[in-house]
Amino acid sequence: DVFDLRVLREAELKHGRLAMLAAVGWPMAEQLNGPISKVMGLPSTLTSAGLDPSVLNGGLENTSPVYWLAVLAFATAIELFAVKRTPGLGSTLAALGLEKLTGKDIDGDGQVGEPTMLMAESYLPGDLGFDPLGLFKGTDKHKADLQLKELENGRWAMVAITFYAIQEAVLKMSVVSSLPAL
């Protein structure tokens, strides 16, 4: 139904956006880690094979806990902003059945059960109101086209980073070394 589709679309957009950042950031990290760490007088965080640190490659122990705290704080800030701007976490928890389980109104919509905020016509999955370049304007057809492009690019980016991880874990070959253009 429409409710489930909106919840799933919101999740797909979030994962796609992160994947698009990772698809660009992964090779950039491998390419620029050495020069940047030298300029800053810090040790490189790449593994001895020149791979990005990851669960599969190892090397995460070389990344400062301060960095992970900063990443966690940044992600939390974005999610908290999203909760205020859109139905967010409370509605997601209600959608997952937590309201029915606890018998309490978690999302603040005045009732226990499926969240009503996600059903509002004004709710657009993934819309955080952040458009500093003013690109999301024009006709409804143009906006729908932009939304579809974002979804498709996010899906391709998810595929790309999956292959990055497989390549580095199985072949022990960095992403950058397999892309001659870089």
Side-chain angles (χ1 to χ4, degrees):
D1 68 13
V2 173
F3 170 75
D4 291 334
L5 183 61
R6 285 182 174 193
V7 171
L8 294 173
R9 178 61 51 95
E10 182 89 34
E12 184 179 16
L13 281 166
K14 285 181 182 180
H15 286 90
R17 288 170 181 166
L18 285 173
M20 286 186 277
L21 289 171
V24 172
W26 194 317
M28 280 182 62
E30 287 181 355
Q31 186 97 10
L32 300 176
N33 184 285
I36 291 175
S37 55
K38 282 180 188 170
V39 167
M40 297 181 77
L42 299 170
S44 173
T45 58
L46 297 179
T47 66
S48 58
L51 307 176
D52 272 328
S54 72
V55 173
L56 298 174
N57 296 336
L60 287 176
E61 68 277 358
N62 298 330
T63 305
S64 169
V66 174
Y67 169 79
W68 293 117
L69 287 173
V71 168
L72 182 63
F74 181 70
T76 301
I78 289 174
E79 284 298 317
L80 290 175
F81 176 76
V83 166
K84 289 181 181 177
R85 176 108 177 112
T86 64
L89 181 64
S91 292
T92 302
L93 294 174
L96 293 172
L98 198 58
E99 282 192 348
K100 291 178 184 174
L101 186 66
T102 62
K104 297 188 184 205
D105 178 20
I106 295 172
D107 59 0
D109 65 358
Q111 54 98 33
V112 174
E114 289 187 353
T116 57
M117 295 166 82
L118 290 176
M119 296 301 290
E121 289 295 322
S122 61
Y123 172 67
L124 181 64
D127 181 18
L128 296 177
F130 180 75
D131 186 17
L133 300 177
L135 299 175
F136 194 66
K137 59 183 173 186
T139 65
D140 288 343
K141 183 181 179 332
H142 176 71
K143 289 180 180 180
D145 186 48
L146 288 175
Q147 289 173 323
L148 181 60
K149 286 177 182 177
E150 181 181 23
L151 276 174
E152 289 173 346
N153 286 326
R155 289 170 183 161
W156 280 113
M158 288 185 257
V159 170
I161 62 168
T162 300
F163 280 104
Y164 289 177
I166 291 170
Q167 174 182 324
E168 288 201 352
V170 175
L171 301 177
K172 301 294 182 204
M173 185 173 143
S174 72
V175 173
V176 171
S177 68
S178 67
L179 301 170
L182 297 176

